[in-house]
Amino acid sequence: MAAEAPTIPLLTPYKMGKFNLSYSKSFLDYQRVVLAPLTRQRSYGNVPQPHAILYYSQRASEGGLLIAEATGVSDTAQGYKDTPGIWTKEQVEAWKPIVDGVHAKGGTFFCQIWHVGRVSNRVELYVLDSVQIDTRFDGGGNQVEVLSCSKSKVFFINKNEKDFQPNGQAPVSSTDKPFTAQVDANGIDFSQYTPPRRLRTDEIPQIVNDFRLAARNAIEAGFDGVEIHGAHGYLIDQFMKDQVNDRTDQYGGSLENRCRFALEIVEAVANEIGADKVGIRLSPFAEYIQAADSNPAALGLYIAESLNKFGILYCHVVAPRMKAAFWEKSECPNSLLPIRKAFRGTFLVAGGYNREDGNNAIAENHADLVVYGRFFLANPDLPKRFKLNAPLNKYNRDTFYTPDPVVGYTDYPFLEETA
């Protein structure tokens, strides 16, 4: 095993509002290393499952902050198979033992609440050679089509499967502009989406209320707070980015108008559960899911300054280098520093950080906390490995979004198991 290293910036104490991210009795100081909200698609039927208890508790530690995977605020908020929700009593009850597991380890747990907007009603597209299509019936009597190709890869398309939207309705957005088919997060498959329906002005308060109720439900489930998902091309981002938002009402046009929806949600959630329990995630520089802005630096600065009037706990921002894909870094002249200086609460950064990057971000006061996704996924004891400068497990992208409750989920080894 690697020799113990001196204390590093990532593992120095930090107090985030009333949350003291430090240890008292444990050997390790797990303070500034945060688990990112990671979609895992293992919440069958949009209900959190018991296997998530182990997954999150494996990554919890005394004083550590975890952010739960993106969790739908309503039945119109869904866009991916088997992602969790928090709009029903069943879902709230299912979250409770998962939250309890994190708290039993001394961790702090926030629930990320989201609405996907136009990223819904997905239809899978595959480019295959020598395609042969056969119609069959599965064991449940459902008609399915079996596609086979020269590479022996087979896909089942269940024609009786419901859309992600209730009653097969169109997904909602700031716009009615569709976007073109794109490569999925696995880097292999392509997806296209149903053209969205532009939300009427009088419908927007209902979406704001959905976020408010979801925040209330999260607190009922035992979460310490919520993170509003305002990033990565989903509904809130679809309002903020001028390459998507083409509205002519009070929610479109100027920077102030485009940010109005996001700030109304922040205000509603803060009023419901307390601003000291609210964070938000933003990605002004990203162009995920064809959601770009002509002046992302101005967008990021405006929203950061506007958040201050609500006194929320933290702002979690994705680095400019993560512009076009979740897993690819790119050279970028932009910096998060102006946003960092403008926001008066705790500042979290994410986006391909490694141990060295994270230490530098803390040491140079560019961030208070650093958020890790893939590295934390594959290394449930990531803070310990960072402390000891120990080797990291390699993550397996092929199992990021598979439904298996163990493989690629809770089977990554701890350091003691690899020594």
Side-chain angles (χ1 to χ4, degrees), residues 44-98:
Y44 313 139
N46 305 128
V47 178
Q49 298 295 306
H51 47 250
I53 300 173
L54 178 59
Y55 172 75
Y56 282 109
S57 65
Q58 282 180 329
R59 289 154 182 82
S61 60
E62 193 167 356
L65 173 61
L66 281 65
I67 308 172
E69 60 209 273
T71 301
V73 300
S74 70
D75 59 356
T76 70
Q78 302 300 105
Y80 300 90
K81 183 176 174 61
D82 294 333
T83 53
I86 198 160
W87 70 87
T88 71
K89 183 67 175 175
E90 179 186 14
Q91 292 165 338
V92 171
E93 292 301 314
W95 272 117
K96 288 181 177 180
I98 302 170

Side-chain angles (χ1 to χ4, degrees), residues 94-367:
W95 272 117
K96 288 181 177 180
I98 302 170
V99 177
D100 288 345
V102 171
H103 286 161
K105 298 284 287 291
T108 298
F109 204 12
F110 272 52
C111 180
Q112 188 190 70
I113 52 177
W114 77 337
H115 193 302
V116 301
R118 67 176 183 171
V119 191
S120 192
N121 274 23
R122 188 169 67 175
V123 178
E124 301 294 341
L125 297 179
Y126 301 97
V127 180
L128 305 174
D129 297 323
S130 305
V131 177
Q132 179 178 341
I133 303 176
D134 297 310
T135 299
R136 303 177 187 174
F137 291 89
D138 64 16
N142 297 313
Q143 181 180 343
V144 298
E145 290 181 349
V146 180
L147 282 68
S148 59
C149 67
S150 58
K151 295 182 180 180
S152 300
K153 191 172 183 179
V154 180
F155 302 91
F156 286 82
I157 302 175
N158 189 339
K159 301 188 81 169
N160 295 332
E161 187 173 0
K162 294 182 180 179
D163 291 325
F164 291 115
Q165 294 298 308
N167 305 314
Q169 67 189 44
V172 296
S173 180
S174 64
T175 181
D176 56 9
K177 293 186 298 186
F179 57 106
T180 57
Q182 64 170 27
V183 179
D184 272 358
N186 62 16
I188 301 172
D189 300 326
F190 286 81
S191 293
Q192 69 176 8
Y193 299 84
T194 303
R197 178 179 67 81
R198 186 193 312 272
L199 279 165
R200 300 191 313 271
T201 306
D202 66 313
E203 292 178 304
I204 290 176
Q206 179 58 54
I207 305 294
V208 174
N209 194 55
D210 288 340
F211 275 88
R212 181 186 66 83
L213 293 176
R216 177 199 292 179
N217 288 343
I219 298 303
E220 181 183 342
F223 283 101
D224 299 293
V226 302
E227 176 179 284
I228 298 165
H229 196 342
H232 294 164
Y234 298 114
L235 183 60
I236 294 174
D237 213 23
Q238 290 161 28
F239 272 82
M240 290 193 290
K241 300 288 181 65
D242 63 10
Q243 302 303 292
V244 180
N245 187 335
D246 57 357
R247 304 177 71 90
T248 58
D249 62 3
Q250 64 263 42
Y251 293 94
S254 69
L255 184 56
E256 179 182 6
N257 282 354
R258 287 184 281 114
C259 291
R260 188 185 306 277
F261 177 58
L263 296 174
E264 286 181 351
I265 289 172
V266 169
E267 182 177 26
V269 170
N271 287 342
E272 179 66 35
I273 66 172
D276 60 338
K277 303 181 187 71
V278 178
I280 188 169
R281 192 179 209 198
L282 303 169
S283 60
F285 297 95
E287 299 178 359
Y288 303 152
I289 320 178
Q290 298 166 26
D293 194 81
S294 61
N295 192 343
L299 171 61
L301 189 60
Y302 176 82
I303 193 73
E305 291 173 340
S306 299
L307 290 170
N308 288 328
K309 64 184 176 184
F310 303 110
I312 65 171
L313 182 63
Y314 73 76
C315 184
H316 172 190
V317 187
V318 178
R321 63 189 178 186
M322 307 301 288
K323 183 176 182 180
F326 292 109
W327 60 90
E328 293 179 359
K329 297 180 187 178
S330 60
E331 293 297 324
C332 181
N334 294 297
S335 168
L336 293 182
L337 198 54
I339 302 174
R340 155 65 156 166
K341 291 179 177 179
F343 181 69
R344 293 199 290 265
T346 294
F347 195 70
L348 284 64
V349 295
Y353 285 83
N354 57 27
R355 182 179 185 270
E356 181 181 4
D357 291 338
N359 279 325
N360 290 340
I362 301 300
E364 296 169 6
N365 199 30
H366 289 181

